[in-house]
Amino acid sequence: MIEDLRSLFGLLEPLYQAHPAWPVERDRIGQVLATAAEARSPALRALDADRAARPAWFGAPDMIGYSFYVDRFAGTVAGLQGRLPWLETLGVRLLHPLPMTRGQAGDSDGGFAVADYRAIEPALGSLDDVRALATDLHGRGMALAMDCVLNHTARDHAWAQAALAGDVEKRGYYRILDDADDVTAWEADLDEVFPDTAPGNFTHEPALGGWVWTSFYPFQWDLDWSNPAVFREMLDVLLFWANVGVDAFRLDSAPYLWKRRGTVSRNLPETHTLVAALRAGLDAVAPGVALLAEAIERTADVLPYIEPQDGTRAAQLAYHNGVMAALWVALATGDAAIIGELVRDTVLTRADTAWLSYLRCHDDIIWSALNGRVAADELDRISDFYAGAGGFADGRRFQARPGAAPSTVGMLASLVGTQGARALDRYRLLLATMLALPGMPMLYMGDEIGLPNHVDPAAPDDARWLHRPPMDWPRADAAAAGEGPGAQWLSLTRRLIAVRASLPALDAKAATMVRDDAPGLLVVERGSGDEMIVLVANFGERPQPLPLDGDWKDAIEDRPIARLIAPGCVFWAKRRG
Ligand code: GLC
């Protein structure tokens, strides 16, 4: 604990020492940590101790995550327990319910406009339900991840309401500009997240006598992380949930925390320091709890969230959004070289970090994360392709920042061509590739049964709702019985996950070597010795010779591998014998 405190304050001093509230806040942070440490239960301490011996516990080959909206998947938190058999049979070991905390009334950006960080959305259940869920999951060897929306609160949040009512201290929790010229000057360097539906980064609030910073929607007020009270409050929130039994936090919108004039105010070094400081604070109380950085940025900008150059311990996981986008690029163009390039450039070196691997999530696919690796006009073509321009894909365009390819929305099944005969083969190619790359895979609800796009007329004006359907349980039950349109999707998903779980070479920390001597194929060696697995994937249109000497079998189907790899085929090759 003493060591963790030294590291925490060592990180915070340079950020806050000039702030007048620092001496007081420094003491308060110490108290917050002491109180939380005392409150940590013996059962959770035992989990911490267990994980100390397996610092990348989330990277085991049988760790599969599953991300979902509680209401759309199970109705309520309590209802989730009835759905655990579905997840366990699928091979899921980590649940990531999207925000469960009380959101603002009406449109809450899917819960990402938080009105109360310590309460559960009443329609979903109660704090006790979450506590019971966490305990149940731990009993089954499973884990619970939770969102922590660090960058902003809802306008409905008590801090924002107090600020509107003239509370000076709470006004200081937000970034409020008094002067329109100031707004213009800041805006000159900023990007826009939702240029179509929420242009600009500031919202005029007459009661504040100024403009409040709102990077996302006008009802999501950015917190001012240059105020140490904000750090203390959010650390307290993390510790609160860690002690309820949460095993991992998704740090929502991590890049936006620190702002500096004259910069784009994303991914600033101070933001990396804040993530490392949250880590140090957790280490003092709940060291087994992992942090997942949500930084949907170019790979070079994502790396400092998990492996800062100075060796500091920061987040343990980060979305590998570059590889995710590259998988879709490869599917559209037939060229998988960029996947190999990204995997090669992003081999992690720390013992306690892993990539989060995924194909789809609740957000759009942001092509501009590949800027600098894929030509701008090529990204435009790919965006058009997935928006349905003449190919198999049936997605839609989402908002585009000026000069960037519009991002893409749509369920996985629709993006691979739901109706077409080859849709399932494309899913297999993507999923088998993703599961063999280094990382902790996270599935997205409904993909395991090939749910297509869902048009919900009651959804907010935000095209991402196209891929946020309710779980289709009749289809799921039929699929489990081997019937209906989801059956093949489900059996494929279950099989790949089950085989993966049996292959130590697919641990996130197993060695990774991308081979470049087999043009036209993606070939990645994982692990070593007898256990080695070689991912061989043909995203192209021509058959390619198998680039392996000796006697190999396909671990997925447990059968010999053909010497010629047909287009669209993927193998996990394992030495026979
Ligand atoms: C994250 C979420 C996204 C949300 C945004 C604002 O990017 O994944 O759904 O709109 O943060 O909270």
Side-chain angles (χ1 to χ4, degrees):
M1 173 104 171
I2 300 290
E3 199 42 50
D4 298 322
L5 289 185
R6 200 168 290 140
S7 126
L8 171 62
F9 290 118
L11 289 160
L12 294 182
E13 286 290 341
L15 294 185
Y16 294 133
Q17 62 198 354
H19 196 286
W22 178 234
V24 173
E25 287 300 337
R26 200 192 139 96
D27 288 351
R28 286 189 180 158
I29 290 170
Q31 282 157 21
V32 160
L33 290 168
T35 310
E38 211 176 296
R40 190 142 180 90
S41 73
L44 294 176
R45 282 172 198 271
L47 259 183
D48 291 331
D50 181 43
R51 287 174 181 163
R54 303 178 292 132
W57 56 268
F58 35 78
D62 63 347
M63 277 304 286
I64 301 284
Y66 189 90
S67 182
F68 58 96
Y69 289 93
V70 175
D71 57 343
R72 295 182 167 235
F73 181 67
T76 60
V77 176
L80 268 176
Q81 293 194 359
R83 296 303 184 187
L84 289 182
W86 174 262
L87 297 176
E88 285 188 288
T89 312
L90 191 56
V92 168
R93 299 268 314 283
L94 178 138
L95 271 61
H96 169 226
L98 285 148
M100 298 184 286
T101 39
R102 189 163 73 74
Q104 78 162 18
D107 179 7
S108 66
D109 187 22
F112 285 103
V114 178
D116 187 342
Y117 286 103
R118 286 182 169 76
I120 293 298
E121 178 67 33
L124 299 181
S126 68
L127 185 57
D128 281 344
D129 295 337
V130 178
R131 209 184 300 274
L133 174 70
T135 308
D136 186 358
L137 290 177
H138 292 154
R140 297 168 191 250
M142 296 170 77
L144 179 64
M146 181 170 164
D147 271 282
C148 188
V149 186
L150 297 175
N151 177 65
H152 41 265
T153 74
R155 187 181 185 277
D156 275 12
H157 191 284
W159 302 336
Q161 289 300 306
L164 283 167
D167 180 325
V168 176
E169 189 206 336
K170 293 302 184 289
R171 185 185 172 100
Y173 279 27
Y174 297 96
R175 300 200 66 116
I176 296 161
L177 307 185
D178 305 328
D179 184 353
D181 290 343
D182 239 11
V183 171
T184 313
W186 276 98
E187 283 283 15
D189 298 300
L190 302 176
D191 279 343
E192 292 175 304
V193 181
F194 300 134
D196 298 350
T197 50
N201 288 277
F202 297 87
T203 300
H204 188 240
E205 285 283 358
L208 295 176
W211 287 258
V212 63
W213 198 307
T214 52
S215 297
F216 294 84
Y217 283 113
F219 53 79
Q220 289 165 309
W221 289 19
D222 288 33
L223 287 162
D224 183 356
W225 281 77
S226 71
N227 179 350
V230 167
F231 178 87
R232 189 243 313 150
E233 296 269 18
M234 297 312 287
L235 176 63
D236 204 3
V237 167
L238 288 179
L239 296 173
F240 171 82
W241 286 107
N243 279 348
V244 168
V246 168
D247 302 283
F249 290 105
R250 175 182 181 276
L251 304 180
D252 180 66
S253 311
Y256 295 79
L257 304 185
W258 199 271
K259 290 39 172 174
R260 185 160 1 99
R261 184 85 160 246
T263 74
V264 72
S265 292
R266 293 206 321 266
N267 308 311
L268 293 179
E270 291 88 342
T271 295
H272 303 140
T273 304
L274 286 169
V275 172
L278 291 171
R279 176 68 266 167
L282 269 175
D283 279 343
V285 174
V289 172
L291 294 179
L292 159 62
E294 193 237 353
I296 309 304
E297 303 282 344
R298 292 176 323 151
T299 303
D301 290 326
V302 182
L303 272 164
Y305 290 92
I306 33 176
E307 297 211 339
Q309 277 189 344
D310 64 3
T312 323
R313 177 160 141 93
Q316 285 57 66
L317 289 153
Y319 285 83
H320 212 339
N321 65 293
V323 164
M324 183 275 292
L327 283 158
W328 289 103
V329 168
L331 191 72
T333 63
D335 183 359
I338 180 178
I339 305 174
E341 189 188 302
L342 272 161
V343 171
R344 188 182 298 120
D345 289 357
T346 57
V347 173
L348 298 175
T349 55
R350 289 185 61 100
D352 60 352
T353 55
W355 289 109
L356 184 137
S357 306
Y358 66 127
L359 295 175
R360 288 296 289 116
C361 70
H362 67 290
D363 284 330
D364 42 318
I365 303 176
I366 297 182
W367 304 110
S368 55
L370 295 176
N371 278 351
R373 290 192 185 255
V374 179
D377 56 346
E378 177 80 343
L379 290 177
D380 280 334
R381 275 197 296 278
I382 288 160
S383 165
D384 286 348
F385 177 85
Y386 282 108
F392 54 77
D394 182 25
R396 305 277 180 279
R397 277 182 200 89
F398 191 50
Q399 328 213 4
R401 295 172 182 164
S407 62
T408 294
V409 294
M411 284 297 280
L412 186 152
S414 295
L415 296 182
V416 299
T418 332
Q419 310 303 332
R422 292 201 45 217
L424 194 72
D425 294 340
R426 294 188 192 106
Y427 175 51
R428 188 178 192 282
L429 177 61
L430 290 177
L431 185 63
T433 303
M434 184 273 271
L435 290 175
L437 295 177
M440 183 196 88
M442 180 77 86
L443 309 180
Y444 181 59
M445 187 208 82
D447 288 345
E448 75 273 35
I449 51 168
L451 278 192
N453 292 341
H454 171 76
V455 178
D456 178 357
D461 178 22
D462 181 324
R464 292 174 298 173
W465 288 94
L466 186 68
H467 56 244
R468 298 170 178 177
M471 184 62 169
D472 185 340
W473 286 110
R475 178 179 172 125
D477 292 339
E483 287 159 14
Q488 286 178 295
W489 294 73
L490 182 63
S491 70
L492 169 64
T493 313
R494 283 181 176 171
R495 174 157 194 89
L496 287 171
I497 290 173
V499 174
R500 183 184 202 269
S502 71
L503 300 174
L506 297 189
D507 188 291
K509 299 313 303 178
T512 302
M513 221 268 291
V514 180
R515 287 194 21 197
D516 52 14
D517 57 353
L521 291 174
L522 174 68
V523 184
V524 183
E525 295 180 0
R526 301 294 323 280
S528 57
D530 289 348
E531 289 180 338
M532 180 193 276
I533 291 291
V534 188
L535 164 72
V536 184
N538 186 355
F539 280 80
E541 281 171 6
R542 292 207 193 101
Q544 300 287 349
L546 180 70
L548 301 173
D549 297 328
D551 199 9
W552 297 80
K553 69 168 182 175
D554 173 21
I556 301 174
E557 306 294 345
D558 196 21
R559 67 181 180 210
I561 302 182
R563 301 307 301 178
L564 209 57
I565 319 267
C569 277
V570 55
F571 300 101
W572 296 347
K574 191 173 191 321
R575 273 205 186 83
R576 264 184 210 272

